[in-house]
Each structure stands twice: as C-alpha cells, then as structure tokens.
Amino acid sequence: MGGKKVAGGILIGIGISVMVIGALIGGTQLFVTIIAGNQQNLMMANAKELGMLEGTDGTVMEADQENKSTTVSYYDQDGNYQESEWPIYSSDYEVGKEVTVYYMEQVPDAGFVPELMELVWRQGIKLLIIQSAIVLSILLFIGTAMIVGGCLLMKKPKPKPMYPN
C-alpha cells in the first residue's frame, strides 16, 4: 500500500473521529442543560411542598432595560419591607406589575420570582445552544475537510498519456 493511501486512510479516520467527538460534545451540553432545567423545576416544587418557601405578593419597582435588571419589592411574613434585584430584563415585567415572590423564612431578603428565574434560565440555554452549534459546526467542517482530503489522497492518479499532443 502506498504512502498516500495510508495518509488518506489516517485522515479519513481522524476526520470521522473529529465528527463523532463534535456530536458527543454538542449532545452532552444539550443533555446537561435539559437535566439541569428539570432539576431546577423539581427543587422548586419540592421546596414549596416542604414548606421551605414563603410566597407573598410583590410589585415590580424597577425594570431597567439599559442595565438589564429588574427590582421587585415585597413584605415578608413579619411585615418587613424587602427588595430583590435580578440581572434580567423583560418587557413583560414593567414597573407596577404584580408578581408572586418566594423566599426562605430564614433569608427573607433573598426573594425570587420563578418566572424571572425561568427567563434567566432560558437565556442561558439559548447561549449554550449557540455555543454548542458553533463548536459542532467547526468540528464537522474540520472532520469533513479531513475526510475529503483523505479521499483525494487515496484516489488513483490519472494515467499520463504515452504520447504528448
């Protein structure tokens, strides 16, 4: 077997490996993202069921599109005024909107609005999907180039004419 054929076979093997690794990386990232999202929802449901979370009415006090933040105010079970800010902005949460705020009794100033937390989560998922798609595309491109290069190396050369024209 000639050197070009061996090199072509190696390139094809590496190209296929790169494509498989790309698919595994992309698939793993998406799988972990889905599992983590389901785990977050389960933890929230369990915390509510076990009575670990207090729920109360709150109001959006500030919705800062420029700084991408939302501030919600509420009163805890002892009647103390609390404010919580999240690094997320949504036009659905304008100043004055009534929301349900949850907090742990031991830490009443660390309240959260599940719908806002879900927006943060969805943004993270979008970024991870974009990152996965970019990595996967690059690896698929490299793998395809290696396979094509390997096939070209393994291709038999055209015989040269015996008599030049």
Side-chain angles (χ1 to χ4, degrees):
M1 188 181 238
K4 283 186 173 184
K5 288 190 183 232
V6 171
I10 291 171
L11 269 178
I12 290 171
I14 292 172
I16 290 171
S17 298
V18 166
M19 292 175 89
V20 168
I21 289 169
L24 287 173
I25 289 172
T28 301
Q29 284 183 329
L30 291 176
F31 178 73
V32 167
T33 302
I34 291 167
I35 294 297
N38 290 339
Q39 190 65 29
Q40 178 189 8
N41 293 337
L42 183 62
M43 285 178 11
M44 175 75 175
N46 286 341
K48 282 181 187 177
E49 189 175 308
L50 294 172
M52 295 171 61
L53 294 176
E54 298 291 331
T56 188
D57 294 332
T59 305
V60 175
M61 299 302 291
E62 184 178 352
D64 189 344
Q65 185 174 10
E66 185 177 319
N67 293 318
K68 304 275 190 252
S69 67
T70 302
T71 303
V72 174
S73 68
Y74 56 97
Y75 289 92
D76 64 25
Q77 69 181 20
D78 296 329
N80 297 317
Y81 179 82
Q82 305 289 348
E83 281 189 3
S84 290
E85 181 179 345
W86 297 279
I88 186 76
Y89 170 82
S90 170
S91 59
D92 293 338
Y93 292 86
E94 294 300 325
V95 173
K97 180 178 174 102
E98 298 293 319
V99 294
T100 301
V101 180
Y102 291 93
Y103 63 91
M104 292 179 64
E105 188 177 326
Q106 301 84 356
V107 194
D109 60 336
F112 65 95
V113 177
E115 294 83 11
L116 280 173
M117 298 296 283
E118 191 173 316
L119 288 173
V120 172
W121 182 249
R122 275 192 256 147
Q123 279 187 342
I125 288 174
K126 286 178 189 175
L127 290 175
L128 190 58
I129 289 171
I130 290 169
Q131 175 197 358
S132 297
I134 290 170
V135 169
L136 183 59
S137 298
I138 290 170
L139 291 175
L140 288 176
F141 177 77
I142 291 170
T144 302
M146 292 178 130
I147 291 170
V148 169
C151 289
L152 290 174
L153 279 174
M154 294 179 75
K155 183 178 163 186
K156 288 185 178 180
K158 289 184 181 179
K160 295 181 182 176
M162 294 184 81
Y163 305 105
N165 291 337

